[in-house]
Amino acid sequence: MSDAAVVAVGLGDRSYEVRIGAGLLAGAGDAIEEAMGGGFGRCLVVIDTGAAAHAAALVESLRARGTVVTEVEVEPSETDKSLETFARLVTAAANAELERGDPVIAVGGGIVGDIAGFAAASYRRGVPVVQCP
């Protein structure tokens, strides 16, 4: 993580950091836990089908720290930005028994990030969302 550039986004109580650098996904499990201020036991990883190879490093990092990971692939198309995809993600979160502190992690930007964020905001009145575009 020492080679990562960190950009602070100042939004008051909604402030967050953006980390930029090569190879960050391999240590993402610990970085996400640190950013969230504590551990989590489960997560839903929503994967852009075009980013599946990159997602593998993230999923491995999460599993190495003992997190139960549920993966769902989403085609990055306007067709998949739909109620059907939303329902598939919320159902996957429920089947994975995600709790309020368990994050939804989007790997891939644009449509995949949008639909994952919407699902996270809606599931259990909102769970954390992490964007890895």
Side-chain angles (χ1 to χ4, degrees), residues 9-127:
V9 179
L11 297 173
D13 333 356
R14 299 175 313 138
S15 296
Y16 60 93
E17 293 181 342
V18 176
R19 297 175 191 211
I20 305 165
L24 292 178
L25 291 177
D30 291 335
I32 292 168
E33 179 177 350
E34 177 186 327
M36 289 181 52
F40 52 92
R42 302 172 186 282
C43 69
L44 174 65
V45 179
V46 182
I47 303 167
D48 178 322
T49 55
H54 299 292
L58 169 75
V59 169
E60 183 178 319
S61 170
L62 290 163
R63 287 190 172 135
R65 59 176 297 287
T67 303
V68 176
V69 178
T70 298
E71 300 173 60
V72 177
E73 286 195 3
V74 174
E75 189 70 36
S77 67
E78 287 295 329
T79 306
D80 266 11
K81 195 173 183 179
S82 66
L83 287 175
E84 291 80 13
T85 301
F86 168 76
R88 189 163 51 106
L89 296 181
V90 172
T91 299
N95 288 342
E97 300 178 352
L98 262 62
E99 295 296 333
R100 298 267 329 254
D102 296 330
V104 172
I105 303 169
V107 181
I111 290 168
V112 173
D114 290 349
I115 196 79
F118 183 55
S122 303
Y123 180 72
R124 291 192 176 262
R125 292 175 292 155
V127 298

